[in-house]
Amino acid sequence: MAIAVVASLLGIWAFWQSLAEGARADQFFNLITSDPAGERAMQKICLNAIEVTTSLAMAKDAASAQPLEERFWELYFGPMYIVELHERKKSGTGRSGIEAAMVQYGKTLKEVRTSSGLARATSLCPRADAIHNACHWHLKILEKRRPCP
């Protein structure tokens, strides 16, 4: 009986926490959406991700790829989450094309980490293009960029 009461209390607490987290996400979404600086910040983050993923795809050797790979993972676990959360909330479907593109790029990057430049470009260029396209669709980024081969 005591276990059932504790389990019920934990369930109620978890539900309450999820509601509170949803309210914080809504508040954050409204803050970013209501100010043009929020939009510009997300565009800069996406532009950085586009540049890093394209450059990493075209890196000729491991030495030049290493700092780019480190920056990709920093973006992946940090600033891009803000953009992904915004897209997920704005979509109304709970989905983010940017998040999906970043996840696929990360998976492919792990697979080709030790590959030569040509093999890396062949595998990562379509993934970099997907990030560019997803950012363009969500944030209307119209910049010129270096094309992946």
Side-chain angles (χ1 to χ4, degrees), residues 77-98:
F77 288 112
M80 285 301 285
Y81 181 72
I82 294 167
V83 179
E84 295 162 7
L85 176 64
H86 184 268
E87 184 183 26
R88 208 175 5 222
K89 292 292 288 179
K90 190 173 181 180
S91 75
T93 64
R95 294 192 173 108
S96 167
I98 296 170

Side-chain angles (χ1 to χ4, degrees), residues 41-64:
M42 288 189 299
Q43 287 175 344
K44 286 181 181 179
I45 292 166
C46 255
L47 285 169
N48 188 218
I50 291 165
E51 177 62 28
V52 167
T53 56
T54 301
S55 297
L56 181 54
M58 297 188 307
K60 301 295 182 206
D61 54 46
S64 61

Side-chain angles (χ1 to χ4, degrees), residues 7-21:
S8 294
L9 290 174
L10 285 174
I12 292 169
W13 179 80
F15 177 73
W16 181 259
Q17 287 298 106
S18 70
L19 289 178
E21 183 62 30

Side-chain angles (χ1 to χ4, degrees), residues 54-74:
T54 301
S55 297
L56 181 54
M58 297 188 307
K60 301 295 182 206
D61 54 46
S64 61
Q66 182 63 32
L68 294 166
E69 185 173 343
E70 288 172 8
R71 181 62 183 149
F72 170 78
W73 291 114
E74 290 168 0

Side-chain angles (χ1 to χ4, degrees), residues 56-61 112 115-126 149:
L56 181 54
M58 297 188 307
K60 301 295 182 206
D61 54 46
V112 300
S115 298
S116 68
L118 182 58
R120 183 179 292 121
T122 301
S123 299
L124 290 176
C125 276

